[in-house]
Amino acid sequence: MMDSSSPKSKSTMSEPKKKFQPSLIERAAVSSFEFLNRFVPWYKLPGFLGAFNLAFLRISLRTYNLHDGYADPAAQGQYGDALEDERFRNARNSDGKYNSLELPLMGCAGMRFGRNFPRESCPKPSEEELWTPNPRAISEKFMVRKPGGFKPATTLNLLAAAWIQFQTHDWFNHENDEENFNIPLPEGDKWSGKTMQLPKTKPDATLDPSDVQCPGYKNVNTSWWDGSQIYGSSEAVTQSLRTKLPDGKLTLHDNGTGAFIPRDADGNPLTGFHNNWWVGMEMLHTLFALEHNALCDMLRQAYPNMTGDQIFDKARLVNCALMAKIHTVEWTPAILAHPALEIGMNANWWGIVGENLTKLVGRISKTSEIISGIPGSGVDHDGVPYSLTEEFVSVYRMHSLIPDDIAFFDAKQGKHQTTTPIGDLTFKGAQTPLDNGLSFGDLFYTFGINYPGAITNNNYPDFLRDFTDPDGIRRDMGTVDLLRDRERGVPRYCEFRRLLRLSVPTTFEEITGHQNPTLAKELSEAYGGDVNQVDALVGSHSEPVIPGFGFSETAFRVFILMASRRLKSDRFIAGQWNPETYTPEGFRWVQHTTMKDVLVRHFPELGPTLAKSKNAFAPWVQMEESRRYTGKETNAPPAE
């Protein structure tokens, strides 16, 4: 599609194509790799060949696994409607409107989730399908973390776990209905009471007969990579978070020891999205609010005549793009530590010409995302209006990443300070370590050297399996995760794989790769001997993991499709990716800043440690004091 960096008449704008059609060369390459993968899977190929394999796998996924949540694309807004405010031609609107100048409601807050599978393959479940087998019984069998049974993910640090929740709070949030589920409990369940209550997901209005069979559900957040967890998903919320001065900054309070997110009268953080708040969110929301304000200072110095709105808009653009870049080229290669993935994700941002040449001379190819990366390659929705999908939400169910407790250390000498259960660090307890004298630098060092949990069976933290939120709703999050997938029509494991054109297991032993007969037997017993009943989440947790991967290949297929789509559909990344939109200084800031740079800019005491660590989301090199306490050597790779 054409770049949206300048006004266009309705007649010159490109509407989304009716259906994505790969070129003849692309189809030939897809077929060739599919044939090769019968004998050698992509992850066993040499790095660059594996990366090309993934690039053409993504083309296949674009062909078959993008489906609109609406029967009528007109729901995305009227084609070519005029902007309501010219300010948002070169700035993000908090509700996501007019990211696309062609489909102005696309990706907005309040628009439906799409699907990665045809809607007829994702029907509303019957009562029997909803409760068979009992989701609480499955949670009790496959989610519970047995005493002393914490399974660490030793290639990651706890900052990586906090990061993905920080990002998902930007991307999606379903709306609750007023009606509740009364989840039946299995015989002998230790849960107090006869049922467990949970608000149902509120379905969208029926706009088409197909909505009866497959209801649509609205995303309360914007679907764009626009920092809505910090800035809010409406202009009214955004305005309430800004200072009263014409400086473009977000409001932060200072208690004499550093900046922190202000609270309302009830103690809730004043930020764009504060659900499921814990110390990890306290850290990252504060960090990127500080980064926004540092950008404002830089812009004010470079452009003294800018208004407060202009400073704010440019700072937000840069901050959002920086988070997208960090996620693409730093977090993803940490959790999917495979040579082909590192090459592929760097190519997503920089292209195969690489980071150094792109920084030096800019884009080599004007339109090729393979040669010069997705940013600036031109917007394309692959024939389907952009949205995040129900299946994308499903594969990001990663509660297993959370440990049972956190051992805190100081950032200057590495001395152990205290060990606190995670449950005591949630909601109003999120500031407890700071109240007890620790600094944000101490918290980030702590998260840098602690391990998260592995994304696998029997690794949910206990506090999430008996969890009461500030509204007083008590639930088992393992049960919730299973029920939400069933409720929203996410196919079960075998069908999920079939629709992704992956091999489909016919026995429980095939799910586990013939590597765990005990687990296969437990699955068979729990699912009544019917392999097709296995929930997508349980099956994904049970399958063998590709070496270096933090989650299953089944989930990964959805990831590689949607990871690039979030960039490719965004006008401010794939389209108006230039110094004119971001300012030369802001554009340089994005291109030359890493997560390590952000951390050291605001917490300089982390500099010596991070100088020895390659990736901010892999275990940091520990200081001697903390190494003696933990009794483990870091496996962080040497710094570049």
Side-chain angles (χ1 to χ4, degrees):
M1 293 175 69
M2 297 178 66
D3 188 355
S4 301
S5 58
S6 59
K8 301 176 184 67
S9 69
K10 188 171 179 178
S11 61
T12 62
M13 294 171 112
S14 299
E15 292 186 75
K17 309 165 199 171
K18 296 298 181 184
K19 182 174 174 59
F20 172 71
Q21 293 290 342
S23 68
L24 180 62
I25 293 175
E26 289 172 334
R27 291 198 300 271
V30 167
S31 296
S32 298
F33 276 113
E34 286 177 348
F35 178 77
L36 175 62
N37 293 155
R38 295 179 188 176
F39 308 98
V40 184
W42 68 265
Y43 55 86
K44 291 187 177 180
L45 296 172
F48 273 99
L49 186 58
F52 274 106
N53 194 155
L54 289 177
F56 289 106
L57 172 59
R58 186 173 64 191
I59 288 171
S60 177
L61 292 165
R62 286 172 173 171
T63 305
Y64 297 104
N65 293 111
L66 291 175
H67 300 273
D68 198 352
Y70 294 95
D72 184 357
Q76 308 289 345
Q78 294 300 311
Y79 169 73
D81 277 357
L83 278 168
E84 295 172 355
D85 186 338
E86 280 295 318
R87 171 187 173 189
F88 297 115
R89 187 173 298 282
N90 295 299
R92 291 187 181 274
N93 189 325
S94 292
D95 65 9
K97 192 173 183 181
Y98 286 105
N99 187 305
S100 169
L101 299 178
E102 300 138 0
L103 296 173
L105 298 182
M106 185 172 66
C108 286
M111 297 300 287
R112 286 184 186 179
F113 289 92
R115 310 290 318 204
N116 290 120
F117 307 133
R119 295 182 72 212
E120 57 268 23
S121 298
C122 308
K124 180 179 179 180
S126 66
E127 282 295 306
E128 181 179 1
E129 290 168 334
L130 191 65
W131 304 116
T132 305
N134 184 286
R136 168 66 175 176
I138 297 298
S139 174
E140 285 282 86
K141 186 71 173 177
F142 298 108
M143 305 299 182
V144 60
R145 185 178 283 166
K146 299 169 184 177
F150 171 64
K151 303 171 186 176
T154 57
T155 60
L156 295 172
N157 62 26
L158 192 54
L159 186 59
W163 176 268
I164 192 54
Q165 185 181 8
F166 179 60
Q167 293 302 299
T168 58
H169 282 183
D170 176 21
W171 301 334
F172 51 73
N173 184 32
H174 284 78
E175 187 176 8
N176 286 338
D177 205 342
E178 294 180 359
E179 186 177 353
N180 286 336
F181 283 120
N182 290 306
I183 303 170
L185 302 179
E187 186 176 352
D189 195 295
K190 63 180 181 292
W191 194 267
S192 60
K194 295 182 179 179
T195 63
M196 183 188 305
Q197 288 202 330
L198 178 72
K200 294 182 178 181
T201 306
K202 184 176 181 178
D204 193 13
T206 300
L207 305 178
D208 182 85
S210 63
D211 294 339
V212 176
Q213 179 190 19
C214 179
Y217 299 99
K218 292 182 178 181
N219 188 356
V220 177
N221 293 355
T222 70
S223 290
W224 304 109
W225 220 329
D226 60 0
S228 59
Q229 79 275 44
I230 298 171
Y231 300 109
S233 288
S234 74
E235 282 297 310
V237 170
T238 302
Q239 289 299 323
S240 72
L241 299 174
R242 291 176 55 179
T243 67
K244 304 304 180 185
L245 301 172
D247 57 7
K249 292 185 176 183
L250 294 169
T251 301
L252 288 171
H253 288 176
D254 195 320
N255 61 1
T257 61
F260 64 94
I261 301 290
R263 263 49 179 185
D264 64 16
D266 295 323
N268 298 310
L270 292 173
T271 187
F273 188 93
H274 62 248
N275 292 7
N276 308 318
W277 194 261
W278 64 294
V279 66
M281 297 304 95
E282 187 81 32
M283 294 160 58
L284 288 169
H285 275 254
T286 303
L287 179 67
F288 281 91
L290 286 168
E291 186 72 355
H292 173 94
N293 288 354
L295 281 158
C296 292
D297 288 335
M298 178 274 291
L299 290 165
R300 172 62 74 197
Q301 183 174 1
Y303 304 99
N305 295 325
M306 269 191 175
T307 66
D309 281 348
Q310 288 171 330
I311 292 174
F312 176 85
D313 289 343
K314 296 304 180 185
R316 174 162 62 172
L317 274 175
V318 174
N319 210 20
C320 294
L322 178 56
M323 285 186 278
K325 177 194 165 194
I326 288 170
H327 187 85
T328 301
V329 303
E330 297 186 66
W331 182 85
T332 302
I335 199 167
L336 300 171
H338 187 281
L341 253 296
E342 184 169 2
I343 292 167
M345 296 312 296
N346 275 283
N348 258 11
W349 195 268
W350 302 109
I352 60 173
V353 301
E355 176 180 355
N356 292 334
L357 187 58
T358 301
K359 284 180 177 178
L360 183 64
V361 302
R363 294 187 62 86
I364 301 298
S365 169
K366 185 176 181 180
T367 59
S368 172
E369 63 183 79
I370 293 177
I371 294 174
S372 291
I374 293 175
S377 63
V379 175
D380 195 334
H381 309 303
D382 298 318
V384 178
Y386 171 74
S387 66
L388 296 179
T389 65
E390 296 291 359
E391 292 73 27
F392 179 81
V393 175
S394 175
V395 302
Y396 273 106
R397 300 193 187 283
M398 295 182 176
H399 290 115
S400 299
L401 287 166
I402 305 300
D404 297 305
D405 49 46
I406 302 177
F408 288 94
F409 302 85
D410 80 83
K412 294 181 180 178
Q413 295 180 316
K415 290 183 178 180
H416 176 252
Q417 303 298 304
T418 185
T419 297
T420 308
I422 285 276
D424 293 344
L425 300 170
T426 61
F427 301 112
K428 292 183 181 180
Q431 289 184 315
T432 298
L434 299 168
D435 294 339
N436 291 339
L438 293 177
S439 69
F440 274 110
D442 298 333
L443 301 190
F444 277 106
Y445 176 75
T446 292
F447 273 54
I449 67 170
N450 273 290
Y451 294 142
I455 302 172
T456 188
N457 285 322
N458 298 115
N459 210 27
Y460 270 52
D462 284 343
F463 90 96
L464 284 180
R465 299 197 64 256
D466 191 351
F467 177 72
T468 303
D469 69 17
D471 295 325
I473 299 174
R474 179 174 171 238
R475 78 282 300 262
D476 162 26
M477 289 306 302
T479 300
V480 171
D481 281 351
L482 295 165
L483 184 57
R484 288 304 191 208
D485 275 359
R486 295 182 189 181
E487 175 194 20
R488 297 166 186 165
V490 174
R492 303 220 184 181
Y493 180 69
C494 290
E495 183 65 9
F496 201 105
R497 286 181 63 90
R498 183 178 292 110
L499 291 166
L500 289 170
R501 294 163 308 286
L502 284 161
S503 62
V504 180
T506 58
T507 67
F508 293 96
E509 289 76 15
E510 288 178 7
I511 292 179
T512 65
H514 300 280
Q515 296 179 12
N516 192 335
T518 300
L519 175 58
K521 184 175 183 293
E522 291 174 347
L523 288 167
S524 180
E525 291 171 351
Y527 285 95
D530 186 353
V531 71
N532 292 304
Q533 287 289 305
V534 176
D535 291 280
L537 183 63
V538 175
S540 293
H541 284 184
S542 301
E543 69 180 63
V545 177
I546 293 170
F549 267 37
F551 51 80
S552 70
E553 186 179 18
T554 302
F556 171 67
R557 291 292 176 109
V558 175
F559 166 83
I560 61 170
L561 171 62
M562 300 304 295
S564 59
R565 182 162 167 79
R566 280 172 291 157
L567 300 173
K568 189 66 173 171
S569 282
D570 196 315
R571 174 164 67 94
F572 295 103
I573 296 177
Q576 293 177 225
W577 186 249
N578 53 54
E580 291 72 31
T581 299
Y582 283 78
T583 75
E585 294 80 7
F587 196 68
R588 189 179 307 112
W589 189 295
V590 176
Q591 296 291 66
H592 290 266
T593 297
T594 67
M595 184 63 173
K596 293 201 302 183
D597 294 328
V598 177
L599 288 165
V600 174
R601 181 172 9 259
H602 303 291
F603 309 110
E605 63 269 34
L606 299 175
T609 296
L610 284 170
K612 303 172 186 176
S613 304
K614 180 180 178 182
N615 188 315
F617 300 108
W620 296 2
V621 173
Q622 296 186 49
M623 286 179 274
E624 187 63 32
E625 289 278 356
S626 52
R627 187 180 298 119
R628 280 202 296 267
Y629 181 86
T630 60
K632 64 191 179 189
E633 294 290 334
T634 180
N635 59 358
E640 291 181 323

